[in-house]
Amino acid sequence: FDMFVFAFVERLIRPTYKKDDIVLGKKLGEGSFGVVYRVSLAKKTSSKRDDLVLKKATEYGAVEIWMNERVRRACASSCAEFLYGFLESSSKKGAEYWLLWRFEGGATLCDLMQSREFPYNVETMILEEVQDLPKGQERENRIIRTIMRQILFALDGLHSTGIVHRDIKPQNIIFSEESRTFKIIDLGAATDLRVGINYIPKEFLLDPRYAAPEQYIMSTQTPSAPSAPVATALSPVLWQLNLPDRFDIYSAGLIFLQMAFPGLRTDNSLIQFNRQLKRCDYDLAAWRRSIEPRATPDQRRGFELLDLDDGIGWELLTSMVRYKARQRISAKAALAHPYFDREGLLALSFMQ
Ligand code: ADP
Ligand code: MG
């Protein structure tokens, strides 16, 4: 009840926005379901932020607003800060949903990964202390580990709230300059199974480059879910049975792989990797056996990085990228994986 009152009061005192408040800036992205702009405000006021992002969305925007409101209350630090969403009906194209977020920063993980400097270009943004280490896998591993921890932390927040993102990829992970952490964006394909929002119509939107082999999360087992946020007692049970969150874990595992292997950072090489992995029946160890004998120097460095500390990174990676959702590690368990423990120990030994 307290949460309800809190949410209600919060909605009342929060700044609201309307079309005339907003001045469009640069276009940041355009998908088939909306256009995203950087925007500012026509009149600057002390209570309203001036550096914002606007998404003009089609009918699917309603669910995206709902997801963002829920994240805002339950796990705000996981995602870009959502400010307000409304139905804008005066547009020429007919009714659109307008969604506003704080502008978190100018780079997604995708942008950062495209740089030849990666992961060093991220280093100064997130952890200055490793700069004392010589350049090499040890140092790169620490940066990648910090990024992975932040992604898993954000995912754990979403999953603990009951939300499966379903479109986890470097393009949907933004670097927040203020908090100096990576946050998740784009809840346009997300589904909330605990309260019965399972947005099957958008299933075809899933990005095949990062999608886990099961692709159609629960759509075969789940009876058609209510389209309004109606609580159902069934959902937590279904969650336990199907572990839909593991879909995001698979995608996050592919991001881990791309960070370790520069050669897998382009779309084409990732698509080719997916084909190879499928041929290996989604067995990463088999994929490794097929690659390693003829590995390029870059590939060898990737394996070496994951093999540091008795292969603890490789162990985590292989527990994320598995064919069966049930066998994949959860975000919470991944955060407790020894891959992340070692950091404290190594930092100590390094200081001595
Ligand atoms: P789409 O449905 O087009 O993929 P996204 O929500 O992913 O929409 O946003 C598109 C792009 O806009 C992102 O890849 C990112 O570059 C930028 N962007 C989105 N939200 C923010 C934000 N809060 N702060 C800064 N940039 C953002
Ligand atoms: Mg996106």
Side-chain angles (χ1 to χ4, degrees):
F1 181 73
D2 284 350
M3 267 311 285
F4 175 78
V5 171
F6 170 77
F8 182 72
V9 172
E10 201 259 2
R11 283 291 277 275
L12 283 180
I13 59 174
R14 227 166 88 194
T16 61
Y17 299 80
K18 56 188 189 316
K19 186 181 183 186
D20 296 337
D21 293 337
I22 297 162
V23 181
L24 294 192
K26 185 174 175 252
K27 193 189 275 187
L28 297 175
E30 179 159 16
S32 19
F33 298 91
V35 191
V36 179
Y37 302 89
R38 188 167 177 175
V39 301
S40 58
L41 296 177
K43 289 194 222 69
K44 322 280 181 251
T45 68
S46 56
S47 68
K48 290 183 181 177
R49 297 223 165 74
D50 192 43
D51 202 2
L52 316 181
V53 168
L54 167 72
K55 183 183 273 189
K56 294 184 184 180
T58 59
E59 65 269 27
Y60 297 110
V63 174
E64 197 172 347
I65 291 175
W66 194 88
M67 292 293 164
N68 275 280
E69 286 290 348
R70 189 149 159 71
V71 164
R72 207 187 134 87
R73 269 170 285 152
C75 55
S77 65
S78 290
C79 295
E81 186 182 342
F82 182 66
L83 299 171
Y84 193 64
F86 56 98
L87 182 63
E88 173 49 52
S89 43
S90 69
S91 133
K92 276 180 244 106
K93 290 186 209 136
E96 290 173 326
Y97 287 94
W98 285 29
L99 293 85
L100 287 163
W101 294 267
R102 168 213 281 279
F103 179 81
E104 296 278 357
T108 63
L109 181 58
C110 180
D111 301 327
L112 293 162
M113 271 172 42
Q114 296 311 313
S115 159
R116 289 175 140 271
E117 284 300 303
F118 185 86
Y120 296 106
N121 59 340
V122 176
E123 179 173 60
T124 47
M125 299 160 68
I126 55 178
L127 30 66
E128 272 126 315
E129 61 271 25
V130 288
Q131 288 169 38
D132 304 340
L133 275 174
K135 282 202 173 184
Q137 280 131 321
E138 185 83 39
R139 185 161 146 188
E140 287 164 29
N141 183 40
R142 291 215 200 168
I143 307 164
I144 291 170
R145 184 164 48 195
T146 304
I147 301 170
M148 277 313 290
R149 199 202 297 102
Q150 293 182 354
I151 294 173
L152 287 165
F153 179 82
L155 274 181
D156 180 35
L158 285 182
H159 295 167
S160 303
T161 305
I163 296 174
V164 184
H165 186 281
R166 300 200 293 185
D167 200 13
I168 292 296
K169 55 185 176 185
Q171 293 85 342
N172 285 339
I173 297 177
I174 189 96
F175 185 73
S176 165
E177 285 165 10
E178 191 184 89
S179 66
R180 304 222 291 167
T181 56
F182 286 94
K183 294 182 175 180
I184 293 168
I185 56 172
D186 200 354
L187 295 165
T191 171
D192 188 330
L193 297 149
R194 287 190 192 170
V195 292
I197 291 195
N198 188 11
Y199 213 55
I200 291 164
K202 252 192 143 182
E203 212 86 56
F204 61 91
L205 261 188
L206 299 180
D207 191 320
R209 291 167 304 172
Y210 293 90
E214 68 268 24
Q215 284 197 28
Y216 303 96
I217 306 177
M218 299 175 66
S219 56
T220 49
Q221 299 99 322
T222 317
S224 60
S227 58
V230 179
T232 66
L234 198 64
S235 300
V237 178
L238 282 177
W239 182 283
Q240 280 308 315
L241 279 176
N242 295 285
L243 303 173
D245 55 313
R246 305 300 200 276
F247 186 86
D248 291 343
I249 295 295
Y250 186 94
S251 311
L254 292 192
I255 298 176
F256 190 11
L257 191 80
Q258 287 188 298
M259 291 199 284
F261 293 89
L264 294 180
R265 290 184 199 150
T266 64
D267 282 351
N268 282 341
S269 59
L270 185 62
I271 290 165
Q272 195 194 346
F273 164 83
N274 284 332
R275 254 187 254 125
Q276 292 169 345
L277 189 64
K278 192 172 177 187
R279 248 182 270 125
C280 298
D281 293 321
Y282 296 91
D283 179 349
L284 258 189
W287 173 78
R288 179 172 182 162
R289 284 194 296 274
S290 75
I291 291 292
E292 226 168 7
R294 298 167 281 110
T296 63
D298 246 19
Q299 288 171 332
R300 227 173 298 128
R301 288 186 84 244
F303 287 123
E304 275 164 25
L305 185 145
L306 293 165
D307 282 346
L308 290 171
D309 301 319
D310 305 320
I312 205 74
W314 175 255
E315 209 290 321
L316 175 62
L317 176 67
T318 52
S319 49
M320 296 176 78
V321 181
R322 283 196 178 137
Y323 180 72
K324 286 206 169 109
R326 174 154 305 284
Q327 289 172 358
R328 288 175 218 144
I329 196 167
S330 69
K332 205 180 288 307
L335 286 168
H337 189 276
Y339 176 64
F340 297 108
D341 283 0
R342 298 281 172 109
E343 192 160 20
L345 293 174
L346 279 173
L348 268 181
S349 63
F350 182 68
M351 272 153 54
Q352 278 159 5

